[in-house]
Amino acid sequence: MSETLDLKEVQKIVADSVRGLSEELRGGMSPEDIGTLAADVKAIKAAQEKFAAVRASDELSDNRKGSASVREYEKATGISLDNDAKKGKGLRAGAYLRALAASYRTGRSPQDILSGWGHKALAEEAVNVRALQSGAAGAGGELFPGGFLNELIELQRNMSAVRQIPGIRTLQMPNGTLTIKKQTGAASVGWIGEGAVIASSQPTTGSITLNGKKLAALTAVSNDLLRIADASADAFVRDDLSAEMALGEDLAFLRGTGLSGQPRGIRNSVASAMVVASGGDSAALKRNDLVNAVARLAARNVRFSAANAAWLMSERTKYRLMATVDGNSNPSFPGLETAGTILGYRVLSTNQILNTTGDGDESEIYFVCGSECVIGEVRGLELAALDGAAYYNSTAGAVQSGFSQDETAIRAILVEDFALRNDNGAAIITEVDYTVS
């Protein structure tokens, strides 16, 4: 800017003037000269302040140019990345993920990259809690900054059906393991006559142990996304990683075998008496299936209500129940369409409940008491990224070359476990093959 250049010249003149005035002071000055000096000093100070203001304006302009798309996104959507308004939950995490991946490619720190994209507030918050190399993120990965972790986990929980069961309990496992005591048998009671001896008894107890198991997600990001400062790119990376982790959790928490590093899911934790096959496909039989599932928990004194219990089913099953009508063409389950409930209990749907069980076209319905479910977590999301890495694409069923496709692989690992406190805490309807009726 021409104004800036003029001020730089002024700054040089000021410096020369100061040197001249200093020499005059050493030689002695008259009262008139001192008055003139005071006026000159005041003018010099004003010129310096103006120069500093213009320079700051230039720097702000440069930063805005570097983050123009970010600011345009914020203006269009009303979502602030720095303040992370509720609608933009996790966008800061997406920005940090992209910066982390870019740091492996460029050798610059994630904070430096965030600053270059115009995310100065995020850069200040994003303090590395582990760095195995100077500057760039370490080759062994690093832990996600706490504030960003909370946002990403919250988003993941909103995508996970199991985590949305009301009343579900999440506990921390700082040492990677947690033992929870439980009562397996009640103390006996009875009526006695006058003077009779009261028989003593004690409740029997047991325990369940949660051990940290690794949930790993791998996503390949186009390097084009890492080269731009765009909030939509942050959202893309955020949503992709969160969805992968949520799907992995749902599958394990529902049907995990407890083997090969998996948690033991609900399906493999319930007692055999809590599993019953569907009675049929008519509207009356469908309703009977559902009432019977609720009744099985009630018969075993499980403490549940609409505040801590929910249904879990596949999307196909949910919409077929929604389309079921009675003899007068009225919806058989009106609450499903109006309030997302059946028999007063919330319905959660996920395609991690398969439609290919049994004869290959059957599904399952879960009725779960959330208070009987426990998720143990070891704090910290570990991230690693590698430009050009080869990775296994499960959709294509083949190893893909990140180098030839100009991609960076981002890996995320959470350590956690799941347990059903009692084997009667859920009921499962199997052989579900409802049609529209």
Side-chain angles (χ1 to χ4, degrees), residues 241-427:
L241 187 62
S242 298
E244 289 291 332
M245 296 172 69
L247 289 172
E249 272 196 348
D250 272 349
L251 185 59
F253 293 173
L254 287 167
R255 298 184 61 86
T257 63
L259 305 174
S260 302
Q262 296 180 13
R264 182 180 298 278
I266 297 171
R267 180 67 178 85
N268 292 301
S269 298
V270 297
S272 57
M274 305 302 289
V275 181
V276 61
S278 170
D281 189 44
S282 69
L285 291 175
K286 290 175 185 176
R287 184 175 184 84
N288 186 64
D289 286 346
L290 299 167
V291 171
N292 186 30
V294 176
R296 285 179 182 271
L297 268 69
R300 289 159 179 81
N301 297 318
V302 177
R303 298 176 181 177
F304 68 94
S305 67
N308 71 341
W311 301 98
L312 291 100
M313 60 187 68
S314 70
E315 295 284 354
R316 185 189 77 175
T317 299
K318 181 182 75 173
Y319 285 107
R320 288 184 176 180
L321 285 172
M322 190 179 293
T324 301
V325 296
D326 60 20
N328 297 317
S329 297
N330 296 316
S332 296
F333 306 99
L336 183 55
E337 186 171 355
T338 60
T341 62
I342 292 178
L343 304 179
Y345 299 98
R346 184 180 177 186
V347 175
L348 301 168
S349 57
T350 172
N351 282 328
Q352 295 299 70
I353 296 179
L354 305 177
N355 294 317
T356 56
T357 60
D359 64 3
D361 192 37
E362 295 174 347
S363 189
E364 297 171 334
I365 298 175
Y366 294 61
F367 182 68
V368 183
C369 175
S371 300
E372 295 292 327
C373 301
V374 180
I375 297 174
E377 296 180 340
V378 177
R379 194 65 173 172
L381 173 64
E382 185 177 310
L383 294 167
L386 186 61
D387 180 28
Y391 60 93
Y392 181 75
N393 186 323
S394 57
T395 303
V399 175
Q400 303 279 357
S401 170
F403 183 82
S404 63
Q405 298 186 89
D406 191 25
E407 293 176 329
T408 292
I410 300 177
R411 184 191 68 201
I413 294 177
L414 271 175
V415 181
E416 56 189 7
D417 199 8
F418 175 88
L420 194 65
R421 293 178 63 244
N422 295 288
D423 60 8
N424 56 13

Side-chain angles (χ1 to χ4, degrees), residues 75-142:
K75 182 177 180 181
T77 63
I79 296 172
S80 170
L81 297 187
D82 289 344
N83 296 328
D84 195 42
K86 185 176 181 180
K87 292 184 293 183
K89 186 66 68 177
L91 283 179
R92 300 193 307 166
Y96 184 81
L97 275 170
R98 293 200 303 116
L100 176 67
S103 74
Y104 284 86
R105 299 177 58 252
T106 64
R108 298 161 57 200
S109 70
Q111 291 83 356
D112 186 36
I113 293 170
L114 283 169
S115 294
W117 287 345
H119 296 319
K120 288 193 173 182
L122 305 193
E124 292 175 0
E125 185 177 347
V127 177
N128 290 334
V129 294
R130 181 179 5 151
L132 304 184
Q133 296 176 354
S134 176
E142 68 175 42

Side-chain angles (χ1 to χ4, degrees), residues 37-109:
L37 174 61
D40 290 342
V41 170
K42 185 175 181 180
I44 289 169
K45 184 177 180 182
Q48 287 178 323
E49 289 176 349
K50 185 176 181 183
F51 175 77
V54 172
R55 182 171 58 184
S57 177
D58 286 345
E59 292 176 353
L60 179 59
S61 177
D62 290 341
N63 287 336
R64 283 176 175 169
K65 289 176 184 176
S67 60
S69 59
V70 173
R71 302 310 167 200
E72 289 171 4
Y73 178 88
E74 292 180 344
K75 182 177 180 181
T77 63
I79 296 172
S80 170
L81 297 187
D82 289 344
N83 296 328
D84 195 42
K86 185 176 181 180
K87 292 184 293 183
K89 186 66 68 177
L91 283 179
R92 300 193 307 166
Y96 184 81
L97 275 170
R98 293 200 303 116
L100 176 67
S103 74
Y104 284 86
R105 299 177 58 252
T106 64
R108 298 161 57 200
S109 70

